[in-house]
Amino acid sequence: MEMLQQAVEVESLPYVFQDAITIARRLGIYYLWIDSLCIKQDEDLRDWKVESESMGRIYASACLNISATWSVNLGDNLLGKRTCVTMAASPIEIDMGNLTRTYYAFDGDLWSDEFDFGPLNYRGWVFQERYLARRVVHFGQSQMAWECKEGRALEMFPDGLPRLLGQHPKFECTWATVQLTSQQPAQSKVLEFARDWQNLLENYCRCDFSFPRDKLMALKGISTQIAMNRPGDFYLAGAWKSTVLFDLSWHRHESERKEYPIANTYERAPSWSWASVDGSVQFPLAQETLSNLLERYAEVEGLAGHGIVIDDKFVTTGTIRLRASCIPLNLQLSEDNDITGFHGAGFQFSTTKGPFRSAIYFECTNEVLFSLSRSGKLLLIPLFSTSHSIYGIIVQKVRGVGEHRRVGAVRITLMAITGDLQEPGGNNDIMEMDLDHRISHMDHFSEKWSISAIIFSHYLTQQKPGSRCINIS
């Protein structure tokens, strides 16, 4: 520490740091922040706990963010040797009869392959550093790139990206710039905010962390910026009070649940929070960008909790108070103990193949799940419906009056798009395609509605079965 306070010998630093210093000097910038040099690397994390609170502000206030996007380790160079060939589109001459014309060809996935999918952008802490920064200069494999809120450019296209590469500016946080002017914002604004937030979380959850304990802390800069523009809202454990009803039905695919068992992380955040798990997480509104909200079957009456530190682990506790229908849930199992369907309140839904198949996702192991099912401790709580589906969560009763934990999520299909599609494999179900593929084939398909799901929705709205207040922690 005493040596560093006197001077830093540049030649002794890793090549990436040396190049960053060179860039700052050439630009006439006198102050350079490098995390591992500016934060004490002490084992008890005392300095890190203090500085991590300011990370979002540091990157949001900086003049320029230098991104070593394709540097795998500190021994790599930012300013390495390159050839002009990699920075220019390839000329191609095409002879059309007596007319010869020259065209320029380039990879249509250049931006995503070179920068969005760069190793650095898969690191969890880099997520907010990139999106909060005013300006970012990326150092890729073949060229540099520029990214700010007004545009994006490459050395190949210094005046801006052509349409085929996308002309969107740096991810502009609409959820951060839209002011929440009242305690009861317009429903359309709530849904817009919920979609933006869920899309952001899906991208964030794909990132990796050296220490999974940092998952909520590394998002704090973004949440703090949003909170400044939404004074009437409340943030806790990765959710906002105004939109938490739409966030609760997140889920993970089976492969993610097996690779990152919740038993290793469930104490990190409340069971209802996506931050209680590791790996990729899917959210309902992020997937249904073309859907409209049809009904709300539950209401959030309260959201309370706080963050604490236990044995150098950052833990967030929190409870959601819901007024909702609590329907006893029963599972249908095959001879191999695979879930083939579920039923509750006299309604039955299948999870097997078919246009109206529903989906059910559990975070607990099958042994725990079957035990809860046999003992009658599982409850289905419908939350809301969109043009395509009814979404809900599954909770288990725990000790205490009205106390529950979230153990899974459910999606009940309201509307399916079906038709004939001649493709290898004989797939004729458009619901299995990605969104762009669906839209391009819309003329060949028709909408079909599930009568049982429509009646179930009407039943929830009119009868409100088992409606009461419960706490989920």
Side-chain angles (χ1 to χ4, degrees), residues 66-280:
I66 300 172
S67 178
T69 308
W70 266 96
S71 294
V72 178
N73 55 64
L74 297 178
D76 294 336
N77 284 91
L78 292 180
L79 306 174
K81 294 181 179 180
R82 298 177 298 161
T83 65
C84 294
V85 175
T86 63
M87 294 183 289
S90 303
I92 299 176
E93 287 191 353
I94 298 180
D95 186 359
M96 302 178 64
N98 296 324
L99 180 62
T100 299
R101 301 188 64 175
T102 301
Y103 294 87
Y104 290 87
F106 59 91
D107 182 0
D109 294 323
L110 178 60
W111 179 275
S112 58
D113 289 346
E114 187 84 350
F115 304 105
D116 289 338
F117 300 151
L120 185 71
N121 287 327
Y122 279 97
R123 291 171 53 186
W125 275 99
V126 173
F127 187 87
Q128 71 172 5
E129 294 170 5
R130 179 184 179 188
Y131 289 119
L132 290 177
R134 299 175 181 179
R135 309 167 189 85
V136 182
V137 57
H138 294 276
F139 288 83
Q141 287 180 303
S142 63
Q143 58 187 296
M144 292 189 298
W146 174 265
E147 191 175 27
C148 68
K149 288 189 176 182
E150 293 193 3
R152 299 188 298 182
L154 295 168
E155 287 182 84
M156 184 183 294
F157 301 106
D159 295 327
L161 299 186
R163 187 174 299 276
L164 289 177
L165 285 179
Q167 295 178 314
H168 303 292
K170 190 176 80 69
F171 187 91
E172 189 165 357
C173 309
T174 57
W175 29 261
T177 56
V178 174
Q179 295 278 344
L180 181 62
T181 55
S182 69
Q183 296 292 334
Q184 298 294 331
Q187 186 65 52
S188 61
K189 290 295 183 183
V190 171
L191 287 176
E192 179 184 352
F193 175 52
R195 283 194 174 98
D196 286 341
W197 180 246
Q198 291 183 10
N199 274 297
L200 177 141
L201 291 180
E202 285 201 356
N203 290 327
Y204 180 66
C205 288
R206 297 188 187 105
C207 297
D208 299 321
F209 289 89
S210 300
F211 302 100
R213 68 187 179 212
D214 298 343
K215 194 158 190 177
L216 280 173
M217 183 63 70
L219 196 64
K220 191 168 184 179
I222 291 178
S223 63
T224 299
Q225 181 171 334
I226 297 174
M228 289 190 297
N229 290 318
R230 298 179 68 82
D233 215 336
F234 176 69
Y235 175 80
L236 177 68
W240 299 88
K241 184 179 179 181
S242 63
T243 61
V244 67
L245 182 72
F246 307 112
D247 298 339
L248 287 175
S249 54
W250 56 266
H251 72 273
R252 294 189 298 170
H253 290 302
E254 184 177 3
S255 59
E256 298 288 314
R257 297 197 298 271
K258 289 181 177 179
E259 185 174 356
Y260 307 102
I262 194 174
N264 297 340
T265 60
Y266 77 96
E267 292 182 345
R268 184 174 61 204
S271 65
W272 49 261
S273 171
W274 56 270
S276 65
V277 300
D278 287 332
S280 297

Side-chain angles (χ1 to χ4, degrees), residues 3-4 6-19 21-22 25 34 36-37 74-76:
M3 181 190 70
L4 291 174
Q6 295 177 13
V8 176
E9 187 178 348
V10 175
E11 290 74 15
S12 67
L13 296 176
Y15 290 131
V16 168
F17 295 173
Q18 293 185 40
D19 286 344
I21 292 171
T22 299
R25 285 174 170 171
I34 297 176
S36 60
L37 289 182
L74 297 178
D76 294 336

Side-chain angles (χ1 to χ4, degrees), residues 34 40 48 139 190 223 272-273 355 360 374 385 399 414 440:
I34 297 176
K40 296 178 184 177
W48 182 87
F139 288 83
V190 171
S223 63
W272 49 261
S273 171
I360 192 165
R374 287 191 296 268
S385 63
R399 289 184 179 180
L414 270 173
S440 65

